[in-house]
Amino acid sequence: MAAPLVLVVLAAVTVRAALYRSSLAVFIAERVEVASPLNSWKRVVEGLALLDLGVSPYSGAVFHETPLIIYLFHFLIEYAELVFMITDVLTAVALYLAIQDFNKVVFKKQKLLIELDKYAPDVAELIQTPMEMHYIPLKVALFYLLNPYTVMSCVAKSTCAINNSVIAFFILATIKGNTVKKKRVLYDFLLSLEIAFLSAVFLALATYQSLYPLTLFAPALLYLLQRQFIPIKLKSKSFWLYTMQYASLYVCSLVVIICLSFFLLNSWDFIPSVYGFILSVPDLTPNIGLFWYFFAEMFEHFSLFFVCVFQINVFFYTIPLAIKLKEHPVFFMFVQLAIISIFKSYPTVGDVALYMAFLPVWSHLYRFLRNIFILSCVLIFCSFLFPVLWHLWIYAGSANSNFYYAITLTFNIGQILLISDYFYAFLRREYYLTHGLHLTRQDGTEAMLVLK
Amino acid sequence: VCTSRFWFNYRHVANTLSVYRSVKRLGIPDSHIVLMLADDMACNPRNPKPATVFSHKNMELNVYGDDVEVDYRSYEVTVENFLRVLTGRIPPSTPRSKRLLSDDRSNILIYMTGHGGNGFLKFQDSEEITNVELADAFEQMWQKRRYNELLFIIDTCQGASMYERFYSPNIIALASSQVGEDSLSHQPDLGIGVHLMDRYTFYVLEFLEEIHPASQTNMNDLFQVCPKSLCVSTPGHRTDLFQRDPQNVLITDFFGSVRKVEITTEALSLDKDVAGSESKFPDEELATEPLKYAEQLPVAQIIHQKPKQKDWHPPGGFILGLWALIIMVFFKTYGIKHMKHVF
């Protein structure tokens, strides 16, 4: 499988290099859908220039990147294009390897459940075969690398690519956790510590970069518990022990990373500039998210309340989803990633591209998706309408912000409906697997599954 | 300075341009004149005689032409620009023609016309300058030694209110009307359709037509120009801040560029060695700092670049800590025994 992957990588790199050299690069770099105040390249350059002039880059509300990014780009700023292309390639390779391992896990689990006779007799057509699962990792890498959103994000040199790669490495570390070579260890929990360590480190790094991957703690924990065959009961001692270990690993690595960042500039300035900025949303530049319009028209004394409401909205779906999807943590991770990229305070199309890369993993759900045609049309049309209405609003002056916000709303509704459609299809397939394909009601007529 | 725009304020532009012409005629070059006009008359679509601005009825005198050098035109005539010109606080990129390069030996004439009220003057129909701001600007000029003597003439309604607040020395002020009175315009021209001049400026110009560079007319004559019978409004003046007697102040001190020239028929040899002449008067020579003009044009700043700051480098402790952490994580996940393979 390496050769097609290499071909895909080469194609992606060519496309990006070609776009870098063309005149479109400047046009794309300044689009608000691609570059938000958190991750635009102009601000990175500005922050580094301020640093060269002897001023802290966090003074003044220009620079909102973490100190590790300062360190990374201080030496690599001349090779920025190369860095971003390599980052994209690394993300794709990480996703490829992760999905490869995930497929093995899925297949093993499926085999186990078939042997245990947990499936109904007539669901043979729903079972995934290795044949069709063979090309899924390649498709995932393809979806990520050649997605127009990713390409635009890379050409704009938005640091969203770095965030995506950290999350991808985190997913790889989590999924690969069980295949670390088992060494001779004395105690069981030491082994589990080894497994979870890299995953916790990458999760801490992802949370440090942008606050929202905090919510990915739950699916990662559920996955690792599943791998350890620890049942998820609230009274189980091993469950709490493992949770405590993972949580403490995660928190400790986060604290270590933050303290290390303090030593870069010898100040804690970066905390209000990065996390305070993400949480309190002071910059209301239009983007593809939902925050800017609301807060632009809101009265001052309500804004604190609504900021809290909007931010809780991002974190809120974790618990119900954890309860519902505790058997399927990787799907939970996908849904959580989607929720983060829809409801975060400054979303860009790079975030959308990350969760869209996972769609081939659930291509077997295709027959249960109800609205996929309409939703894909909505998403494609909205993507094209964004620059049109921006031009009408800002340059031609014949539209106003309501038009652009309408497209934002439609785009986000499209994304939400996409996720809920996949959610419905997933649950429906699970139900069919255990209860058989032809459901009958009590009086013998054919029944329909409804998501309540 | 003409502070109005739009076609019906034709007379203000004509006022300013007429004063400009007189001042040029009496010898002041363009490099010493800052002319601020909205400059929308000559090429206005409503002008029946394009490229001209007339100041006398029957179109006798065209005060616009090839040799009119407008320094601040159209939307550049703002209160901010006016005050910056006066006080000299101008961005380094401003060209010389837009600067008032005066020093402590310069006599300055300021002529302003437009629409005004009690204590303010309207600029371009969108902002105002108050008499307090103007007085403060003049005080700044005095403290920066930007003028020797200043003559301020204003032709607006209630113009005397503009000089009420001056408190800097060496200023004479003239206004076309008192507080509560309106200044009136002089003559409409039926061919062009607007009033061509204001009364006060018209009579001032008639007065100035008789001045030539050698004339000995003094300020008191200027104060008598345009009595109430001709002007309908009562012109006012203020001389209490002025140190000399207005009787002794020549009109050409302000309106013209008159230099004292001595013609000699002997040949003077300029000696390279000036030390000899200096030693004749040792007791008269005091060790004084050479006198120089105030720095108007910050040439040094423009020519010499600022030295480049030292580049920032991340502290060594940070780099050490970061890479130690990375190596620790690497070996924790992949096992210490791999170190054997590395070495």
Side-chain angles (χ1 to χ4, degrees), chain B residues 10 25-26 28 42 49 65 69 84 92 103 119 122 124 146 153 160 168 188 220 226 272 291 294 299 333 339:
Chain B
Y10 189 101
R25 181 177 60 82
L26 290 170
I28 301 188
K49 301 273 181 230
E69 195 180 285
R84 280 188 186 279
D103 57 35
K122 193 163 72 154
Q124 302 249 339
R146 280 171 74 76
I153 306 183
S168 318
N220 276 347
C226 203
K272 247 180 130 179
L291 297 169
V299 173
T333 39
M339 274 178 74

Side-chain angles (χ1 to χ4, degrees), chain A residues 51 71 74 194 260 263-264, chain B residues 311-312 315 318 322-323 332:
Chain A
L51 210 48
Y71 177 65
H74 177 69
E194 305 272 336
L260 192 66
F263 288 112
L264 186 76
Chain B
D311 277 332
W312 173 84
F318 173 80
L322 184 68
W323 286 104
K332 189 85 167 49

Side-chain angles (χ1 to χ4, degrees), chain B residues 60-277:
Chain B
E60 286 166 12
L61 182 60
N62 173 21
V63 288
Y64 202 77
D66 280 343
D67 55 343
V68 168
E69 195 180 285
V70 181
D71 299 304
Y72 285 84
R73 81 175 67 237
S74 190
Y75 291 108
E76 292 170 353
V77 180
T78 59
V79 173
E80 181 187 346
N81 281 348
F82 176 60
L83 290 176
R84 280 188 186 279
V85 164
L86 285 182
T87 55
R89 291 156 73 175
I90 271 184
S93 55
T94 320
R96 279 185 87 100
S97 58
K98 284 186 158 166
R99 290 175 187 256
L100 180 65
L101 297 168
S102 57
D103 57 35
D104 61 328
R105 299 306 313 154
S106 311
N107 291 352
I108 302 186
L109 163 70
I110 300 181
Y111 174 82
M112 301 183 77
T113 180
H115 289 286
N118 189 355
F120 67 90
L121 172 60
K122 193 163 72 154
F123 262 71
Q124 302 249 339
D125 216 18
S126 67
E127 49 182 2
E128 301 160 353
I129 187 171
T130 57
N131 47 9
V132 179
E133 280 175 345
L134 200 56
D136 286 339
F138 286 162
E139 176 64 14
Q140 280 192 52
M141 288 171 80
W142 174 250
Q143 290 192 3
K144 290 164 97 163
R145 303 280 179 266
R146 280 171 74 76
Y147 70 90
N148 175 32
E149 289 167 348
L150 199 133
L151 175 62
F152 176 75
I153 306 183
I154 184 160
D155 187 354
T156 63
C157 306
Q158 308 192 45
S161 62
M162 288 306 284
Y163 62 64
E164 274 172 1
R165 298 291 194 120
F166 293 165
Y167 55 96
S168 318
N170 284 357
I171 300 184
I172 303 183
L174 278 134
S176 59
S177 56
Q178 301 293 333
V179 175
E181 287 181 353
D182 289 336
S183 288
L184 300 175
S185 55
H186 183 63
Q187 0 154 262
D189 179 291
L190 296 171
I192 296 184
V194 283
H195 289 263
L196 293 186
M197 286 276 270
D198 282 329
R199 283 175 190 258
Y200 182 72
T201 311
F202 181 75
Y203 290 109
V204 164
L205 270 146
E206 268 193 2
F207 172 79
L208 283 178
E209 291 294 316
E210 286 146 31
I211 310 287
H212 54 89
S215 72
Q216 299 293 310
T217 337
N218 55 39
M219 274 295 153
N220 276 347
D221 303 322
L222 188 57
F223 296 155
Q224 307 306 323
V225 159
C226 203
K228 189 162 168 134
S229 55
L230 287 175
C231 260
V232 184
S233 56
T234 320
H237 56 90
R238 181 176 174 180
T239 51
D240 57 320
L241 295 165
F242 203 72
Q243 282 165 8
R244 291 194 285 160
D245 187 4
Q247 184 89 10
N248 302 331
V249 179
L250 296 177
I251 298 285
T252 48
D253 277 352
F254 291 101
F255 282 89
S257 169
V258 174
R259 305 231 187 265
K260 288 196 170 45
V261 176
E262 256 182 44
I263 304 182
T264 169
T265 48
E266 301 163 351
L268 281 171
S269 69
L270 293 170
D271 216 342
K272 247 180 130 179
D273 180 25
V274 268
S277 57

Side-chain angles (χ1 to χ4, degrees), chain A residues 49-55, chain B residues 306-312:
Chain A
L50 281 174
L51 210 48
D52 274 339
L53 288 172
V55 168
Chain B
K306 284 204 169 62
K308 196 165 184 313
Q309 298 274 357
K310 216 162 44 101
D311 277 332
W312 173 84

Side-chain angles (χ1 to χ4, degrees), chain A residues 95-226:
Chain A
L95 287 176
Y96 176 86
L97 294 170
I99 300 297
Q100 232 178 14
D101 277 333
F102 175 61
N103 276 348
K104 291 192 193 123
V105 165
V106 159
F107 197 57
K108 250 199 305 198
K109 186 170 167 200
Q110 204 170 240
K111 212 163 97 162
L112 183 72
L113 286 174
I114 289 177
E115 282 169 10
L116 289 178
D117 254 346
K118 283 276 173 71
Y119 287 162
D122 56 349
V123 294
E125 61 205 45
L126 285 183
I127 304 217
Q128 289 177 291
T129 61
M131 274 300 291
E132 65 194 39
M133 286 178 13
H134 183 59
Y135 283 108
I136 288 181
L138 185 66
K139 280 193 211 165
V140 166
L142 194 79
F143 260 55
Y144 185 74
L145 278 177
L146 295 180
N147 193 348
Y149 292 151
T150 327
V151 173
M152 284 206 299
S153 192
C154 181
V155 170
K157 293 195 274 222
S158 145
T159 56
C160 186
I162 297 179
N163 292 357
N164 285 356
S165 82
V166 175
I167 296 179
F169 277 116
F170 155 69
I171 294 177
L172 176 64
T174 312
I175 293 185
K176 222 177 168 49
N178 60 323
T179 58
V180 165
K181 288 193 180 54
K182 286 193 169 66
K183 309 182 294 293
R184 186 179 69 83
V185 283
L186 297 170
Y187 303 105
D188 212 7
F189 67 88
L190 267 184
L191 173 64
S192 51
L193 260 183
E194 305 272 336
I195 292 168
F197 185 61
L198 208 54
S199 161
V201 164
F202 276 117
L203 185 63
L205 207 57
T207 312
Y208 165 78
Q209 273 292 106
S210 68
L211 200 53
Y212 297 105
L214 177 64
T215 53
L216 292 174
F217 178 79
L221 183 64
L222 286 172
Y223 184 81
L224 290 166
L225 284 171
Q226 225 182 39

